[in-house]
Amino acid sequence: MKLAVIWSSPNTDGLTASAKEKLINGAKKAGAEVTEIHLNRKSIAHCAACGNGWGTCRSSGECVIKDGFQEVYKTLQEADGIVIVTAVYWHDMTEQIKAFTDRLRRCETGHNGFLSGKPVFLAACAGGTGKGAIECLHNMEEMVCHMGMAVRDRVPVVRFNKEYMLPALETAGEQFAKRGLDWK
């Protein structure tokens, strides 16, 4: 199985990075080929809402902005499954994931549908009180379901549950890689 693991956090050694590593380790245990995409290291602009809000993304499935978006989108198309791991800010995904997915959603729902039916694993990692993790997961699920992707699991990771949740994520990554295609 080819997995694309998209993650976003400016902190490369924090809770989000740890969750991402556990998921990747588990997927690799199951023999998955993993491509890791750290969106904080990509140059991806926000949607320009060209053409009265529906430009070439609707007519041809391509974004007019030329940046790191195209490379990441191609990686997702080539993957058998997708894992999205985000830090939680204000009960939502990071700005980097939102910028990417806003453009992705326009290309996918307006024209392409390349990701429809792909299995997806979602993880939201919240520091502080951890209250925003569940709302973030809800927003993530709404976004990927809007594009027709098939959510297989959604996991909140907070500082209060990290001692048992991080080891569980390794098992979850392994199971997602083993069973991802069977779940279609």
Side-chain angles (χ1 to χ4, degrees):
M1 177 179 213
K2 288 175 69 172
L3 284 183
V5 177
I6 301 174
W7 73 288
S8 177
S9 174
N11 187 353
T12 58
D13 63 352
L15 185 60
T16 306
S18 296
K20 175 262 311 174
E21 279 303 313
K22 291 296 187 180
L23 283 159
I24 288 174
N25 290 345
K28 286 182 176 179
K29 273 187 188 177
E33 177 186 326
V34 177
T35 301
E36 178 184 335
I37 303 159
H38 186 195
L39 288 179
N40 292 71
R41 295 195 174 147
K42 300 283 183 188
S43 176
I44 298 177
H46 291 275
C47 176
C50 59
N52 263 353
W54 284 103
T56 58
C57 52
R58 184 173 192 153
S59 61
S60 68
E62 295 181 32
C63 183
V64 297
I65 302 168
K66 301 302 177 205
D67 58 11
F69 172 81
Q70 289 76 15
E71 173 193 354
V72 177
Y73 189 20
K74 184 175 188 217
T75 300
L76 296 185
Q77 291 172 43
E78 294 170 351
D80 298 311
I82 300 167
V83 175
I84 304 173
V85 184
T86 185
V88 176
Y89 297 142
W90 301 103
H91 302 238
D92 210 349
M93 300 168 272
T94 66
E95 290 76 4
Q96 289 78 14
I97 286 187
K98 286 191 280 187
F100 174 74
T101 57
D102 281 347
R103 289 170 60 191
L104 179 68
R105 185 172 33 206
R106 286 177 177 270
C107 291
E108 276 295 296
T109 60
H111 188 273
N112 296 338
F114 298 140
L115 306 181
S116 184
K118 286 207 187 214
V120 180
F121 187 104
L122 306 172
C125 305
T129 65
K131 289 181 183 176
I134 299 300
E135 189 172 347
C136 179
L137 285 168
H138 170 77
N139 295 340
M140 292 169 73
E141 185 164 2
E142 288 289 318
M143 178 260 309
V144 298
C145 286
H146 186 71
M147 291 182 272
M149 290 187 252
V151 177
R152 298 298 178 232
D153 206 351
R154 68 236 10 99
V155 177
V157 183
V158 299
R159 65 187 178 114
F160 303 109
N161 72 9
K162 68 181 180 182
E163 283 76 20
Y164 62 87
M165 194 58 78
L166 290 175
L169 281 176
E170 191 160 333
T171 303
E174 185 176 5
Q175 289 302 308
F176 182 68
K178 281 182 182 177
R179 299 179 58 204
L181 297 177
D182 295 336
W183 285 336
K184 282 189 174 182

